Amino acid sequence: MKKIRVACLFGGKSSEYEVSLVSATSVIKNLDSNKYEIIMVGITKEGDFYQYNGDIEKIEKDEWSQPKYCRKVSISSNRSDHGIIDLKTAEIIPIDIAFPILHGKNGEDGRLQGLLELAGIPYVGCDMISSAICMDKFIAHELVSKAKILVPKSHLFTKFHQKEEIEETIKDLNFPLFVKPLKAGSSFGITKINHKSELPTAIDKAFSFDDHIIIEEGIDGFEVGCAVLGNNELIIGEVDEIELQDGFFDFEEKYTLKTSKIHLPARITKEEREKIKKIALKIYKILGCAGFARVDMFYTKDKKIVFNEVNTIPGCTTHSRYPSMIKEIGYAFEDVLDKLICLGMKKWQNID
């Protein structure tokens, strides 16, 4: 049987470059080489595309972009090419489907998805519009709130707003507050503040990651997550729970768990978990998600569910939250990857 040629894209001009390398290494290692011919395409921090032909292990170590392992390529916008093009020889390398394994800006925000759609190349995951909406915390909250789902109270600001104006506008919010870049992942640029004196520094930090920021009221509860898999017929993994000692689930805690702990399943009743799953599925559909995504919410002391965000390309290592939640209901990581490729092929089989 002819193998499916999968272009695994990783890296990227993003603050989450290193995270992508770890996810990509795991995905490439766990793709069945009997089913797939893997084309590895690395994107540098400067945004240049290279076909990588070295050892998989060098990806995670960020040793992949050496000239002896790479040739500079680009995704061909000519739909008849249906692949990538070697920029030195003009050779076309056809691909059947792309698997973006990039997190954050320029990978998870719809830009890469739009390029693939323009080129007529099927790909894994949410489409351009859904990816862009989910990355925009304010728009995502606005859409979800229209369905009577609770969201944190917040305000949106740009660099044109003066700090005095921002301080005046947020007087209706109760501390603690979270100051966040509008479009950034892995909690980069986020600060939790307990007093208005901390606001100027938090604003500067958030604006260093994006030209729009969101300031939102803290939710008195704990974070829960749901892994969703599918296009139309949806599979949902078990609900997990993040236990924090202090602060919030920032980048360091997400990848070291120094003072936090993830409980799977969440330490609530089965009925409560089912209620959370139902809301997660509703959010997934409202935001037009497809393929896979992790829906993050808060569960309050008075048992209310409050939407936080959707990760359209969640962490993809064998021990990441998404695979762990799906594994809890009987799906091995290799099976999930097979399913994702199948879903991508089906979704885009009539791409026009």
Side-chain angles (χ1 to χ4, degrees), residues 200-233:
T201 301
I203 289 172
D204 289 340
K205 181 179 179 180
F207 273 133
S208 72
F209 285 86
D210 197 353
D211 56 5
H212 289 69
I213 67 170
I214 185 171
I215 301 179
E216 67 181 33
E217 204 168 72
I219 302 298
D220 188 13
F222 54 86
E223 189 171 335
V224 292
C226 285
V228 185
L229 175 67
N231 293 341
N232 300 313
E233 297 178 8

Side-chain angles (χ1 to χ4, degrees), residues 75-136:
I75 294 174
S76 176
S77 58
N78 291 320
R79 298 173 76 86
S80 59
D81 292 340
H82 209 271
I84 57 177
I85 182 169
D86 185 312
L87 295 180
K88 185 175 182 180
T89 66
E91 175 192 354
I92 302 297
I93 304 144
I95 58 176
D96 297 309
I97 187 167
F99 198 141
I101 319 165
L102 300 95
H103 308 298
K105 189 175 181 180
N106 296 314
E108 197 176 356
D109 59 3
R111 298 182 187 187
L112 180 60
Q113 289 75 11
L115 176 59
L116 292 167
E117 288 176 29
L118 183 68
I121 297 172
Y123 61 91
V124 168
C126 296
D127 66 17
M128 177 189 70
I129 294 174
S130 178
S131 298
I133 289 172
C134 289
M135 182 61 76
D136 188 311

Side-chain angles (χ1 to χ4, degrees), residues 265-335:
R267 298 172 298 173
I268 50 180
T269 66
K270 183 179 179 181
E271 290 73 21
E272 289 173 301
R273 295 199 303 271
E274 290 302 317
K275 186 178 177 183
I276 289 168
K277 289 179 186 179
K278 193 174 291 186
I279 296 294
L281 289 174
K282 194 171 182 180
I283 292 169
Y284 189 90
K285 293 175 183 177
I286 289 168
L287 299 180
C289 298
F292 70 142
R294 195 188 72 236
V295 183
D296 294 338
M297 295 155 283
F298 298 105
Y299 196 59
T300 69
K301 292 179 180 179
D302 54 356
K303 299 186 177 183
K304 291 179 180 177
I305 300 165
V306 183
F307 172 53
N308 182 20
E309 64 180 0
V310 171
N311 287 269
T312 54
I313 306 181
C316 291
T317 68
T318 52
H319 57 271
S320 295
R321 291 176 66 199
Y322 183 94
S324 297
M325 286 186 271
I326 291 290
K327 184 179 180 180
E328 192 73 9
I329 61 167
Y331 285 82
F333 190 45
E334 297 87 345
D335 298 330

